[in-house]
Amino acid sequence: MRRSEVLAEESIVCLQKALNHLREIWELIGIPEDQRLQRTEVVKKHIKDLLDMMIAEEESLKERLIKSIAICQKELNTLCSELHVEPFQEEGETTILQLEKDLRTQVELMRKQKKERKQELKLLQEQDQELCEILCTPHYDIDSTSVPSLEELSQFRQHVATLRETKASRHEEFVNIKRQIILCMEELEHTPDTSFERDVVCEDEDAFCLSLENIATLQKLLQQLEMRKSQNEAVCEGLRAQIRELWDRLQIPAEEREAVATVMTGSKAKVRKALQLEVDRLEELKMQNMKKVIEAIRVELAQYWDQCFYSQEQRQAFAPYYSEDYTENLLQLHDAEIVQLRNYYEVHKELFEGVQKWEESWKLFLEFERKASDPSRFTNRGGNLLKEEKQRAKLQKTLPKLEEELKARIEMWEQEHSKAFVVNGQKFMEYVTEQWEMHRLEKERAKQERLNTTTVSNATVNSSIRPVFSGTVCRSPVSRLPPSGSKPVTTSTCSGKKTPRGLKHGANKENLELNGSILSGGYPASAPPRRNFSINSVASTYSEFARELSKASKSDATSRILNSTNIQS
């Protein structure tokens, strides 16, 4: 039994006791029955009115709760729809009072969420408006009258974050471009003369509209200023080159050049003006020193002719070079020719440098070839001979490789330009082939001359030996290499007659010193054949040189034996 039910029974008992007590009082007082009945009716009426009033109040409370439930349920449904959430569902059975409380709590929670979303939407819209005004972009499209969903708010936040990043990057780009524009304007001594230029240079950076159009216009302005700056720099550099050229041609002293040193850098308007004044002054001097200037240009022309490997016919084709009528027209012809030749050299500089490298390598190769045939190089004790031989061997490998590279590059150039690449009046590869052929013929000529000289010398010495020995026949000592590879066997025979002492050493000395060879002519046919060893023979490698030197030493030993034999006789 509930406590409320127990309490109700106790109330009935109390009421019963109260009525009994009233009856006892009435009994003692002596209240008549009719009055007792009357008084009992009054007690009943009081009790009934009190209970009716209490019941009415409780009924009113119930009605208010039911009405509140209906209102909360309706509002809750609306909030769920606005907030895009599932409708509220009460779990299990509950009383009216609990249901009303739960619904009211849920409504308050939904109202709070709605308020927060609306506040965030308002804040995001304010930020979006500010960023869009700076970036000159349209506002974010969202219904400000309705409550945004969580997804819509998330997308809006992402959009605003993207706008912030865009603003930051464009602002950084604007600051960088603005700095470059200010530097260019200072360099050009240019004052902002348009409203856009003034907005960029003079106004606050945060007030500048960072639209794509403005950024593009900003970049275009910078390009225009940089182009003007580059043009100024090119003009100034051209004036400086013209000044240096005129200085060299007019042979201007260093002290006078130093006076203009302050304007030899930079490209500002005042610098350009000063450079132009110096050019005008030098041009006037040039007109006053026409012959001197033309001769200076001719020196430069000759240098370019050499660098471009011009043939004599090509050089003679420029007839003004040989004119002695030093007029302004002649100077103009020389100026035009030097400009054309300078451009020609710059366009083909890589090829000319390659040809020059081949020329230098070829001269070095010919020098090594000359040294290889020089007998005095064998007296070198400092190790230079071996070093030269290594360089020569290396050059013999690199020279053909360089020729092949040049051949490929020249063929490509000739295909591009549809004309032959000429060096000294002929095609380069023909020129190279001609140089090798001339070298080969020169070697053959030198070899033939050495053979002729040796033959003539042998004949002359043999004819002079016969009267000296007065018919005495001696077999020269000969070193022969036995088949077994053992030491050479030296044999010597001589007749019984003696050779005069005064002639012995002279004859042997003559045999040794003439071209470094021991002569074999003038002896009987029965004498065994002898070898002639010559230090003058061309040793193409260091190993050949060593073998030649060994042979010469053996021949020298043989001569000493012969001298000893003659003295004993």
Side-chain angles (χ1 to χ4, degrees):
M1 184 180 291
R2 295 180 180 179
R3 291 182 62 187
S4 60
E5 293 177 353
V6 173
L7 188 59
E9 290 181 357
E10 290 179 355
S11 299
I12 294 173
V13 172
C14 288
L15 180 60
Q16 187 66 41
K17 286 182 178 180
L19 289 173
N20 291 333
H21 192 196
L22 284 173
R23 280 195 298 270
E24 289 177 357
I25 294 172
W26 290 337
E27 192 69 39
L28 290 174
I29 294 173
I31 301 297
E33 183 64 23
D34 55 342
Q35 290 182 1
R36 289 183 186 181
L37 183 62
Q38 207 173 25
R39 289 177 186 271
T40 303
E41 286 293 335
V42 172
V43 171
K44 175 184 175 185
K45 183 175 183 305
H46 278 296
I47 292 172
K48 184 176 181 304
D49 290 342
L50 178 60
L51 291 175
D52 288 341
M53 183 181 66
M54 291 178 66
I55 291 171
E57 289 178 357
E58 295 302 322
E59 285 289 343
S60 175
L61 175 61
K62 185 185 75 171
E63 294 297 329
R64 288 199 308 272
L65 289 174
I66 293 174
K67 185 177 180 180
S68 176
I69 288 173
I71 293 172
C72 289
Q73 188 70 53
K74 182 179 179 181
E75 184 177 359
L76 190 59
N77 291 335
T78 303
L79 289 171
C80 289
S81 176
E82 290 178 344
L83 297 173
H84 304 281
V85 295
E86 294 294 330
F88 176 77
Q89 296 290 337
E90 184 69 26
E91 296 179 0
E93 295 183 0
T94 182
T95 62
I96 296 174
L97 185 64
Q98 185 64 40
L99 178 60
E100 192 273 341
K101 181 181 177 182
D102 292 343
L103 289 173
R104 185 161 32 85
T105 303
Q106 192 67 25
V107 166
E108 291 175 357
L109 180 62
M110 291 292 184
R111 286 173 181 171
K112 184 179 179 182
Q113 290 184 10
K114 177 180 178 180
K115 181 179 179 181
E116 290 175 350
R117 291 192 190 183
K118 294 288 285 185
Q119 288 177 345
E120 185 177 5
L121 175 62
K122 182 179 179 182
L123 180 62
L124 289 173
Q125 285 178 326
E126 291 174 354
Q127 296 174 356
D128 177 69
Q129 182 177 359
E130 180 183 356
L131 292 169
C132 289
E133 288 177 357
I134 295 175
L135 299 175
C136 296
T137 56
H139 297 295
Y140 187 75
D141 186 16
I142 189 170
D143 187 6
S144 59
T145 59
S146 63
V147 180
S149 65
L150 293 176
E151 183 180 358
E152 290 173 339
L153 285 177
S154 176
Q155 293 176 353
F156 201 178
R157 283 193 295 268
Q158 183 63 37
H159 172 73
V160 171
T162 303
L163 289 181
R164 285 200 191 96
E165 293 176 359
T166 304
K167 175 192 172 184
S169 63
R170 290 188 189 177
H171 185 266
E172 182 180 1
E173 185 178 5
F174 164 69
V175 171
N176 291 334
I177 296 176
K178 176 182 177 180
R179 182 173 61 253
Q180 296 179 56
I181 286 175
I182 291 174
L183 291 175
C184 287
M185 286 184 174
E186 290 176 354
E187 183 72 21
L188 296 170
E189 297 179 353
H190 173 78
T191 304
D193 52 6
T194 65
S195 60
F196 182 79
E197 292 179 1
R198 286 191 291 271
D199 289 342
V200 172
V201 177
C202 305
E203 297 298 330
D204 184 23
E205 293 179 355
D206 295 331
F208 185 78
C209 179
L210 300 174
S211 65
L212 290 174
E213 183 180 358
N214 280 358
I215 294 296
T217 307
L218 203 64
Q219 292 172 341
K220 185 177 180 181
L221 174 61
L222 178 60
Q223 291 174 356
Q224 292 173 349
L225 293 173
E226 286 180 340
M227 184 178 297
R228 286 176 54 189
K229 181 182 175 183
S230 299
Q231 291 172 350
N232 270 12
E233 290 174 349
V235 170
C236 290
E237 194 56 39
L239 291 172
R240 290 189 190 100
Q242 197 173 350
I243 287 172
R244 294 189 192 98
E245 184 178 352
L246 290 171
W247 277 349
D248 294 337
R249 289 180 179 178
L250 297 171
Q251 298 178 358
I252 302 298
E255 309 83 55
E256 192 173 340
R257 299 186 186 192
E258 287 295 328
V260 195
T262 55
V263 295
M264 293 306 285
T265 56
S267 59
K268 291 186 176 181
K270 59 181 181 181
V271 172
R272 180 176 177 178
K273 184 177 180 181
L275 290 172
Q276 188 61 56
L277 290 174
E278 177 66 9
V279 169
D280 295 341
R281 184 184 72 85
L282 293 173
E283 286 289 345
E284 187 176 351
L285 280 177
K286 183 178 77 172
M287 299 306 295
Q288 298 171 2
N289 298 271
M290 193 71 67
K291 180 179 179 181
K292 184 178 179 181
V293 172
I294 291 175
E295 289 177 349
I297 296 176
R298 286 175 176 174
V299 171
E300 189 176 358
L301 271 175
Q303 292 174 350
Y304 274 112
W305 283 344
D306 293 339
Q307 290 176 337
C308 296
F309 300 95
Y310 265 36
S311 64
Q312 192 61 33
E313 292 78 7
Q314 288 175 299
R315 301 181 188 213
Q316 291 175 351
F318 183 59
Y321 184 85
Y322 306 96
S323 175
E324 295 184 359
D325 184 15
Y326 299 100
T327 62
E328 184 176 356
N329 182 49
L330 185 65
L331 177 60
Q332 291 175 353
L333 292 174
H334 278 72
D335 280 333
E337 181 67 14
I338 197 67
V339 169
Q340 182 269 334
L341 197 57
R342 188 184 292 123
N343 292 336
Y344 176 74
Y345 175 75
E346 290 299 328
V347 171
H348 309 94
K349 184 177 181 179
E350 187 177 350
L351 277 179
F352 288 135
E353 287 179 348
V355 174
Q356 182 64 33
K357 183 178 179 182
W358 181 89
E359 282 277 358
E360 294 171 356
S361 300
W362 178 251
K363 290 178 182 177
L364 186 59
F365 172 75
L366 294 180
E367 179 64 18
F368 284 144
E369 289 286 294
R370 184 190 65 77
K371 289 182 179 180
S373 60
D374 186 1
S376 64
R377 73 185 186 125
F378 296 126
T379 61
N380 188 327
R381 303 270 182 192
N384 289 336
L385 185 62
L386 184 58
K387 182 179 179 181
E388 289 178 2
E389 192 62 32
K390 288 181 178 179
Q391 292 177 345
R392 179 168 173 264
K394 180 180 179 181
L395 197 60
Q396 286 177 330
K397 293 179 180 179
T398 58
L399 198 58
K401 184 179 179 181
L402 180 60
E403 291 173 3
E404 289 298 323
E405 291 177 356
L406 279 173
K407 180 181 179 182
R409 285 160 56 183
I410 289 173
E411 287 177 353
M412 186 180 299
W413 183 92
E414 290 178 342
Q415 290 178 358
E416 291 178 358
H417 295 81
S418 301
K419 62 179 181 180
F421 183 80
V422 179
V423 172
N424 293 332
Q426 63 182 132
K427 290 186 176 181
F428 175 72
M429 295 313 299
E430 294 178 358
Y431 172 74
V432 171
T433 304
E434 181 181 286
Q435 295 299 312
W436 279 105
E437 181 63 19
M438 290 173 61
H439 173 61
R440 185 186 66 79
L441 293 176
E442 179 63 21
K443 288 184 69 174
E444 290 182 358
R445 184 191 62 78
K447 181 179 179 181
Q448 187 63 36
E449 286 183 356
R450 286 196 299 272
L451 291 174
N452 294 339
T453 303
T454 303
T455 303
V456 172
S457 299
N458 289 345
T460 304
V461 175
N462 287 341
S463 63
S464 64
I465 288 176
R466 290 192 187 95
V468 170
F469 283 93
S470 301
T472 302
V473 178
C474 292
R475 182 173 297 173
S476 301
V478 178
S479 296
R480 300 183 204 164
L481 187 65
S484 61
S486 59
K487 293 183 179 180
V489 179
T490 304
T491 59
S492 176
T493 58
C494 185
S495 65
K497 295 184 180 181
K498 297 181 179 179
T499 304
R501 291 182 180 271
L503 299 177
K504 291 175 183 177
H505 298 290
N508 289 329
K509 182 178 180 182
E510 184 180 14
N511 287 340
L512 288 170
E513 290 182 353
L514 187 58
N515 289 329
S517 301
I518 299 176
L519 302 178
S520 60
Y523 291 96
S526 60
R530 300 181 64 238
R531 296 188 181 184
N532 290 333
F533 300 98
S534 173
I535 298 178
N536 288 338
S537 60
V538 177
S540 60
T541 64
Y542 183 75
S543 57
E544 292 179 7
F545 159 69
R547 289 198 298 271
E548 293 289 341
L549 188 59
S550 176
K551 293 177 183 178
S553 299
K554 291 177 183 179
S555 299
D556 190 28
T558 305
S559 298
R560 285 198 296 272
I561 294 172
L562 177 61
N563 287 338
S564 177
T565 304
N566 290 335
I567 292 171
Q568 290 174 0
S569 301

